[in-house]
Amino acid sequence: MAEFFPRRGDGGYGLALFLNAGDPPLPVLEDLVHMLDERGVECLELAVPFPDSVTDGPTIRRSARRALDAGVELADVLAFVERVRPGLHRLRIALLADWSHSVKPRPLADVVGEVAGSGVDGLLLHALPPRLRTDYHAAAADAGLPIVTTCYHGVSSPRVLDEAAANASAYLYLVAHYGRSGTSAAPDLAGLAGTVATLRERTAVPIAVGFGVRTRQDAESVAGCGADAVIVGSAGVARVENALSAGRDVVADFEDFVSSIAARDGEYTQIRTGG
């Protein structure tokens, strides 16, 4: 399976964009996913919607509520991925699922197997109880499913950093701030660079930094700290929300957003053939 964020030597950065499946509605999202692939975006972090996330601010929580009100559940999201994934040339899909809302009622290994079978490129399992981590890692390994692990700059203990680095096989998501998405201040760049360097000594997988990345300037600053990629959530979700409320073309609005935040290395141009 291809690497999520190829290492760059040109000062650029990989781009991961977060969206809730079902916001925009799945038929529109399908067109949006193909646009991201044509533009050369590396990763879509696609969430199975769940309510009342304690780590998300109002923008993403409203998005999740719209998707939930539309009836989008795990089975719908996996069917969506299974439908669109074979036609993608570059874009990778990392699925974010909440353990309590989407996984808890069923055997963990069964759900992991279904996620892998859909064609998802990686899985981030949100709020998994620590007692189940060993079982989760074993199930993912058995299914051949790369996983995304998370840790927090300035908050996670050395033991947590070590565990995240040891178990990441898709990429490692370093959260730049402790708090809710969309409400964070600008990253502490000096300290962030130290955390990235610490993690780099412990893992060979790409390191992606999120929370507080809203503009190209933010992304360039984070990349300057040594990150392989940036993860953009609330700013992109807000573009979807605004387009929906104004009756505008969601895909066109989001494409403009991609242009505004992508690296200035000429790589984010339309690619309509494989490669």
Side-chain angles (χ1 to χ4, degrees):
M1 194 169 289
E3 190 175 32
F4 271 81
F5 307 107
R7 296 293 170 85
R8 299 173 181 232
D10 57 5
Y13 49 87
L15 181 61
L17 298 165
F18 169 94
L19 288 172
N20 277 298
D23 186 56
L26 293 180
V28 179
L29 181 62
E30 184 167 349
D31 291 338
L32 192 153
V33 164
H34 286 294
M35 178 274 291
L36 296 179
D37 187 49
E38 291 166 357
R39 291 298 305 268
V41 173
E42 287 93 347
C43 178
L44 172 64
E45 195 172 273
L46 185 64
V48 181
F50 61 97
D52 306 323
S53 170
V54 297
T55 59
D56 287 318
T59 299
I60 291 180
R61 290 175 72 151
R62 287 195 302 268
S63 170
R65 177 44 57 191
R66 288 191 294 271
L68 289 166
D69 289 346
V72 176
E73 299 180 350
L74 177 62
D76 305 295
V77 182
L78 297 184
F80 174 83
V81 174
E82 188 171 4
R83 183 168 65 254
V84 303
R85 186 65 190 82
L88 302 180
H89 301 300
R90 174 166 179 173
L91 183 73
R92 306 295 172 215
I93 298 177
L95 190 77
L96 189 158
D98 179 70
W99 176 78
S100 181
H101 183 76
S102 299
V103 179
K104 183 178 179 180
R106 300 179 51 209
L108 180 58
D110 289 355
V111 176
V112 169
E114 289 176 9
V115 170
S118 74
V120 160
D121 298 284
L123 175 62
L124 195 169
L125 198 49
H126 177 264
L128 178 73
R131 61 185 172 78
L132 295 178
R133 285 178 189 159
T134 299
D135 292 342
Y136 169 53
H137 298 153
D142 288 344
L145 179 63
I147 63 172
V148 180
T149 62
T150 59
C151 55
Y152 286 81
H153 161 61
V155 174
S156 293
S157 67
R159 180 186 62 79
V160 171
L161 296 179
D162 287 345
E163 182 179 345
N167 291 297
S169 48
Y171 58 91
L172 192 157
Y173 186 162
L174 174 60
V175 181
H177 300 279
Y178 185 78
R180 290 185 171 181
S181 61
T183 63
S184 300
D188 161 28
L189 297 176
L192 186 62
T195 303
V196 171
T198 296
L199 292 169
R200 183 76 70 205
E201 294 174 352
R202 291 161 170 76
T203 183
V205 303
I207 298 170
V209 175
F211 275 51
V213 181
R214 301 180 181 88
T215 67
R216 181 181 283 137
Q217 183 177 3
D218 294 335
E220 290 173 346
S221 296
V222 167
C225 294
D228 299 296
V230 298
I231 301 172
V232 182
S234 296
V237 172
R239 286 293 185 102
V240 171
E241 182 175 59
N242 292 338
L244 289 171
S245 63
R248 294 195 303 270
D249 184 329
V250 174
V251 178
D253 270 27
F254 206 79
E255 186 169 14
D256 288 343
F257 176 69
V258 171
S259 297
S260 75
I261 201 163
R264 304 174 194 262
D265 59 4
E267 194 162 339
Y268 290 85
T269 54
Q270 296 210 349
I271 12 182
R272 298 190 179 276
T273 59

